[in-house]
Amino acid sequence: MQLKSPLAVAGPAALVAGVSVAVASQLPLSVLRKKFRMQVADPAVAGLKPAVGYWGVLTFTITAHVMTVRRSLLAGLFSLVFTVVGSRMSAAAVTGGVGAGKTTVCQLLEQNYDYAVVDMNEVTRSLLSKEHLFGLSQWWISSVVGKDIVDPESGEIITDVLMERLSADPELQMKFSNISAWCTIATVIKDILVHRLCEWRQNVVVDVPPQMIHDSKLLRAVCSPIIVVEAPLQSRFHRLLTRDPSSTEEEIELRIKVNDELVSGTPLSGFKVENGGAQSLLADKIHELVTQPTGAVGATICGRLDH
């Protein structure tokens, strides 16, 4: 009896699935995120092109597995949709210490290069609204804190009652913080998919506070590349003092110190932009960041953050 080779028995599809699973199991996703980068021909978006990282590799592996196990038209369509969604679930991010100029950088990207901006501070401020995340965040918060915090007439959460409950119970305050973080991140991912998948926009950037990107590995997985904005300490101090005159100098110094610790303690991969104060100079650096090919950007501005 003639023996068939393992390749003939398994088939090409099984071989593809086996190789995909082997790659996904042997290499950490953090390595894959750096290695699988999509180069684009258009120089207008080359510098900030989202990487084909966690989600692109993960969805490709699952797709290969589904196509091998279920060789059908339905499985093929599911795999195609799954791969497209995964490849679009990423966006550039801008972060940095308080008063460094994150919002200014996002505004320059929006005004001059047609970037859609997802502002995490705006998302957090709308957290208590009944429209936030299709009402799921309000339902989750009220189910934990108490249904009576919702005004029966307007359907909105009564802020004073919520703050009173949270201040009286530290454990409840911790639960609320966790719920707020998850709802905010889920909303950001939803907004990224709306811009990148539904509107099919290439240029999307997320304005991320350093604490959020420090605490959330999921957010760091979605956001790539990450741009860190830095500014001289004196410039940041004057900006914060102008922005919030009611704060004392000691309070502002403490805010800057806490934010700097979060930024320095976060494993980031991306670019660093120095904001010296003059907006025209900052605009030139952003233009250089966006128009230069990936890999040349760090040398032309302040250096890559890949360590």
Side-chain angles (χ1 to χ4, degrees), residues 12 33 73 77-78 84 94 104 145 151 160 179 189 248 251:
R33 178 185 177 190
L73 178 61
L77 291 175
F78 167 79
V84 171
V94 175
T104 304
V145 180
D151 189 341
D160 293 340
I179 293 172
I189 294 175
T248 63
E251 291 173 340

Side-chain angles (χ1 to χ4, degrees), residues 18 27 40 43 48 50 84 151 159 216 284:
L27 294 177
V40 292
L48 299 183
V84 171
D151 189 341
T159 308
S216 175
D284 291 340

